[in-house]
Amino acid sequence: MGVMWARKAGRDTHLSIFRNKQDLSKRAAEEIISLIRLGLAEEGRFTLMLSGGSTPKSVYAQMARAKLDWAKVHAFWGDERCVPPDHPDSNYRMGKESLLDRIHLPEENIHRIRGELPAAQAAQEYQEELVAFFGSQERPPYFDLILLGMGEDGHVASLFTASPALEESERWVIAVEHKQPPPPMVARVSISLPVINAAKRVILIVSGTAKALLVKQALNPEDEELRLPVQRIKPVDGELEWMLDEDAARLLADRKPNLT
Ligand code: 6PG
């Protein structure tokens, strides 16, 4: 397996780099499955937040091959585009086709964001669903694992650079206007930073040369200014793991000493 190097990249932040996207997907799937197995053994239930975008498709497809007690796993989404669930841009559809249709997850374990509704209503309903599932609205839900990708502009979930949504501190789910690239330019529904940062573990899966400069910027410990949404991910008590392919990590090479 092509782990080139893996090391700590700060307090409770880990960084692993793989030779190519194929190795990255395989290793990410293995790690996610072993976290689910561990969580099920310890807690009897696992809360998994799925990412949208295209990078996780092959990760999900490999996860679907694992034999485990999927009936105890609950799937959520970190963000959704406001399109119907069968639309090609739907994050729900991507997760369904690459993972959910291939495993035995009971219908009641699938907690999708209703992208077919107006964003504000879908956000409100999802917030209520999280409150009902986690049984409290006092503190943000504690997800066992949140999977995220990073956009070519450094966004995560649907939290875009300079968006007021980044400053949300009360609500767990928010409606986000999205009228400028990256596409698709449709309204979004996104979890807020407090939810991401309350998770037990966050895994960021990033692939491709187009993201190399942002990866370098995000992992530059000398830069105190939090310009990119991805830099705002700092789990309070949890762990953050960056999983990259060599293309996405290519500009990090001469920064190795800074990453210890
Ligand atoms: C979305 C996303 C978004 C995505 C990144 C990476 O709905 O747009 O959830 O945050 O994860 O943009 O997307 P790619 O994997 O397609 O590059």
Side-chain angles (χ1 to χ4, degrees):
M1 173 93 312
V3 186
M4 295 179 62
W5 50 276
R7 58 174 71 201
K8 284 191 76 93
R11 198 179 68 85
D12 296 324
T13 301
H14 307 268
L15 173 60
S16 307
I17 300 172
F18 302 91
R19 260 180 243 296
N20 49 41
K21 190 175 174 198
Q22 202 185 353
D23 282 0
L24 166 65
S25 303
K26 183 164 187 283
R27 200 44 211 107
E30 283 170 3
E31 171 145 356
I32 294 163
I33 293 299
S34 74
L35 288 169
I36 296 176
R37 287 208 171 101
L38 193 68
L40 292 181
E42 284 173 356
E43 310 285 340
R45 178 181 96 173
F46 196 88
T47 47
L48 172 66
M49 184 162 264
L50 299 172
S51 155
S54 57
T55 311
K57 268 188 207 168
S58 50
V59 179
Y60 295 165
Q62 307 219 33
M63 284 168 64
R65 295 195 197 131
K67 299 220 175 329
L68 56 81
D69 196 354
W70 286 107
K72 293 180 177 152
V73 176
H74 285 259
F76 297 81
W77 275 259
D79 74 321
E80 185 57 278
R81 291 94 178 254
C82 284
V83 294
D86 57 353
H87 190 280
D89 288 334
S90 163
N91 283 338
Y92 163 73
R93 177 175 164 173
M94 192 279 278
K96 179 177 183 302
E97 289 180 350
S98 352
L99 178 65
L100 305 180
D101 283 350
R102 307 173 187 199
I103 58 177
H104 297 290
L105 204 65
E107 204 51 40
E108 61 272 22
N109 291 20
I110 300 174
H111 307 266
R112 79 171 175 93
I113 299 171
R114 298 185 62 203
E116 66 274 33
L117 299 176
Q121 188 185 343
Q124 174 69 26
E125 288 192 8
Y126 208 54
Q127 166 100 17
E128 285 162 13
E129 175 144 5
L130 295 185
V131 171
F133 183 86
F134 286 92
S136 161
Q137 48 187 345
E138 301 309 314
R139 55 197 154 80
Y142 182 66
F143 280 94
D144 291 307
L145 177 59
I146 296 186
L147 300 177
L148 292 173
M150 180 184 75
E152 288 179 15
D153 58 345
H155 79 267
V156 287
S158 280
L159 302 173
F160 296 90
T161 305
S163 163
L166 282 166
E167 307 312 325
E168 181 62 47
S169 59
E170 301 281 316
R171 286 170 299 171
W172 303 344
V173 189
I174 40 195
V176 177
E177 275 198 9
H178 183 55
K179 296 189 169 153
Q180 297 189 4
M185 276 104 81
V186 291
R188 311 285 189 106
V189 176
S190 181
I191 51 162
S192 60
L193 280 170
V195 175
I196 298 176
N197 286 333
K200 186 169 183 182
R201 194 174 191 103
V202 178
I203 297 184
L204 259 166
I205 302 171
V206 185
S207 157
T209 48
K211 295 178 181 169
L213 198 57
L214 288 165
V215 166
K216 176 181 162 185
Q217 191 180 335
L219 286 167
N220 179 357
E222 290 150 26
D223 187 354
E224 291 301 321
E225 216 181 311
L226 303 178
R227 278 171 298 181
L228 300 172
V230 71
Q231 290 175 287
R232 309 272 295 262
I233 302 179
K234 292 176 184 287
V236 182
D237 292 315
E239 300 201 358
L240 168 62
E241 177 164 11
W242 285 77
M243 299 186 91
L244 310 173
D245 63 8
E246 200 178 1
D247 283 344
R250 59 203 275 266
L251 299 177
L252 287 179
D254 56 2
R255 293 193 175 270
K256 271 188 195 174
N258 290 341
L259 293 170
T260 48

